[in-house]
Amino acid sequence: MLTRSASVILSPSEDGYVAYDTHRDRLYRLNPTAALIVELCDGTRDRAQLRHDLQPAVGSDWAHWNDWLDTAIDDQLLLGSAPTEAAMPVDTGAALDAGALARQADDLQRRDRVLAAFVCQQHADELDPDDPVMARRLGELAHIVGRRDEARRAYGRYLARCPDDAEVTHLMTALTESGPPPRVSDRCLKQLYERFAPFYDENMTGELDYCAPERLHHAAAAALGARGDLDVLDLGCGTGLNGVQWRPQARRLVGVDLSEPMVARARAGRRYDALETAEITAWLAREPTERFDVIVACDTLIYFGDLAQVVEPARRHLAPDGIVAFSVERGETDPFALSDSGRFTHHPAHVARVVAAAGLTLASLDETCVRYEYGEPVTALLAVCRS
Ligand SMILES: C[S@@+](CC[C@H](N)C(=O)[O-])C[C@H]1O[C@@H](n2cnc3c(N)ncnc32)[C@H](O)[C@@H]1O
């Protein structure tokens, strides 16, 4: 009799199935006929019976599918006797349980095997549908592999149990296209960076190959020439990766960020002369008590829709001949869009309009890769503006 290996889990996709062998760490993409064969191999049919039942679907193509069946048996995707072999292959697949599958999904995701991770997590969630953590992880992985409907359903089930999760609430906004907020909420950012702070530096500079601070500093240096002794304001300073670039030229380096755990790390790095835990637009709305030669926002305005929210008030805090430098993720939608990642993307034309409307001159607007996300490059716009 033909059966599916016990270690193989299936996930329906738009064009058939994705099958993942949890024991042998192999991913298969099955077209609709292959998917049907795998479904029919349920331990009730031998090859003759399968051929009979498949006749309406494969017609005269049986020879091709008979060969495919041999390959699937050789690969141990399916178990059964191949015509050339009398012995039944032995399935060494271990019994699947939700916890083990979820751990396998984590491990696969760490290795950028996101589709296989999704298939494992989907099965883990099926085995343990009452655990909200399973649903949230399924939402994340469905989201990453672009299965937006499944992500919405999984996040919806999770939020029904955990309605206070500001990050997932925000991601649901991105996935439902219900109109983006003006900027990502403080509650969402605080939650996100409280979780991210302990491994932010390691993750960004290691796995994600983050180089926005160097690239933005390089672009700004061209506009600043040989100027030193600079008073620098770092908006969304985070742990201080951007401050590293500016410290050698800074007479005074001030950092502002709303995430206390991120600011605590910046404080521990001892690079800033002053650090404040505050929301940027609230901070900029204050009457200026000092003026800055450089106002820099590196990878921070990705959390804002209309960039005028920051660029216009920033101008009031600039010293004569000061510059504003910022990076955003480049998008195709003019003026900007909230992407599935929960971050905003911005169109170059929007950047140019906002800068001009703030009475600044665009000294340069470069496009470059500043990091990787699931192995794909993230293209940023680096804007340097003169007063
Ligand atoms: C991706 S991190 C970048 C950190 C740092 N600039 C760097 O390049 O490593 C974004 C930072 O911006 C901060 N941030 C985002 N929106 C903010 C806001 N409205 N007010 C204050 N900080 C904000 C976040 O808390 C986070 O620390």
Side-chain angles (χ1 to χ4, degrees):
M1 291 297 164
L2 292 159
T3 56
R4 195 169 87 215
S5 166
S7 61
V8 171
I9 49 183
L10 293 177
S11 169
S13 66
E14 268 169 23
D15 50 358
Y17 269 105
V18 177
Y20 178 65
D21 188 331
T22 56
H23 184 67
R24 296 173 191 86
D25 190 15
R26 286 186 201 144
L27 187 77
Y28 304 85
R29 289 169 198 273
L30 307 179
N31 72 16
T33 309
L36 177 62
I37 293 176
V38 172
E39 277 199 343
L40 291 176
C41 291
D42 58 0
T44 64
R45 297 172 177 80
D46 61 12
R47 200 177 279 248
Q49 187 63 47
L50 179 70
R51 178 181 184 172
H52 174 266
D53 291 346
L54 267 183
Q55 197 60 38
V58 302
S60 59
D61 243 3
W62 168 248
H64 165 76
W65 288 107
N66 197 36
D67 289 347
W68 184 87
L69 207 52
D70 289 341
T71 309
I73 289 171
D74 283 348
D75 282 353
Q76 302 199 21
L77 170 64
L78 296 174
L79 304 175
S81 17
T84 51
E85 290 174 21
M88 286 275 276
V90 178
D91 182 24
T92 49
L96 302 174
D97 76 81
L101 279 167
R103 283 191 295 281
Q104 193 160 2
D106 291 347
D107 177 57
L108 285 161
Q109 186 182 8
R110 270 193 293 277
R111 293 189 280 132
D112 279 344
R113 305 266 315 276
V114 284
L115 186 55
F118 162 73
V119 174
C120 283
Q121 188 59 40
Q122 194 179 40
H123 206 63
D125 178 65
E126 274 165 26
L127 292 173
D128 194 356
D130 294 328
D131 182 348
V133 177
M134 291 286 181
R136 179 174 52 70
R137 282 289 290 139
L138 177 59
E140 275 168 33
L141 285 161
H143 196 166
I144 292 166
V145 298
R147 301 215 188 174
R148 303 175 92 234
D149 289 344
E150 277 177 84
R152 269 192 293 267
R153 278 197 296 276
Y155 280 150
R157 282 196 290 119
Y158 168 72
L159 284 174
R161 297 281 192 94
C162 306
D164 292 336
D165 189 320
E167 263 183 272
V168 174
T169 302
H170 175 65
L171 290 174
M172 275 293 256
T173 307
L175 284 167
T176 49
E177 288 155 10
S178 53
R183 62 179 171 84
V184 178
S185 75
D186 296 359
R187 225 161 62 79
C188 172
L189 289 167
K190 282 181 185 166
Q191 183 184 322
L192 169 64
Y193 283 99
E194 177 156 8
R195 189 169 52 75
F196 200 5
F199 57 93
Y200 177 87
D201 287 7
E202 192 191 333
N203 187 240
M204 293 294 268
T205 56
E207 198 182 329
L208 304 187
D209 219 355
Y210 178 59
C211 58
E214 295 96 298
R215 296 272 161 93
L216 187 58
H217 180 260
H218 184 74
L224 284 165
R227 286 174 65 184
D229 280 348
L230 299 168
D231 291 340
V232 180
L233 173 64
D234 186 0
L235 296 175
C237 61
T239 57
L241 289 182
N242 185 47
V244 173
Q245 299 297 319
W246 290 97
R247 183 68 269 181
Q249 282 163 279
R251 177 174 54 197
R252 183 164 160 77
L253 180 58
V254 176
V256 175
D257 199 292
L258 59 60
S259 166
E260 182 50 44
M262 294 291 272
V263 171
R265 277 165 197 270
R267 199 168 285 124
R270 296 170 176 275
R271 285 190 196 92
Y272 292 83
D273 300 296
L275 280 162
E276 240 190 279
T277 305
E279 196 284 312
I280 289 168
T281 56
W283 193 95
L284 292 173
R286 297 178 196 164
E287 224 22 70
T289 52
E290 56 183 323
R291 308 271 172 178
F292 295 91
D293 302 305
V294 177
I295 298 181
V296 59
C298 187
D299 214 27
T300 301
L301 303 191
I302 53 175
Y303 296 112
F304 288 78
D306 189 338
L307 296 172
Q309 294 174 88
V310 175
V311 177
E312 287 199 3
R315 193 177 188 282
R316 295 194 311 128
H317 296 259
L318 268 187
D321 299 326
I323 66 161
V324 177
F326 60 87
S327 69
V328 287
E329 288 180 24
R330 193 217 191 284
E332 295 305 319
T333 306
D334 187 6
F336 51 82
L338 180 61
S339 73
D340 277 2
S341 66
R343 303 184 302 266
F344 285 90
T345 62
H346 295 89
H347 194 276
H350 172 67
V351 174
R353 283 194 300 268
V354 165
V355 170
L360 298 167
T361 306
L362 201 52
S364 62
L365 185 60
D366 301 331
E367 260 185 63
T368 184
C369 167
V370 289
R371 67 184 172 84
Y372 289 81
E373 186 161 5
Y374 305 112
E376 296 294 322
V378 174
T379 302
L381 296 172
L382 307 178
V384 180
C385 328
R386 283 201 188 93
S387 56

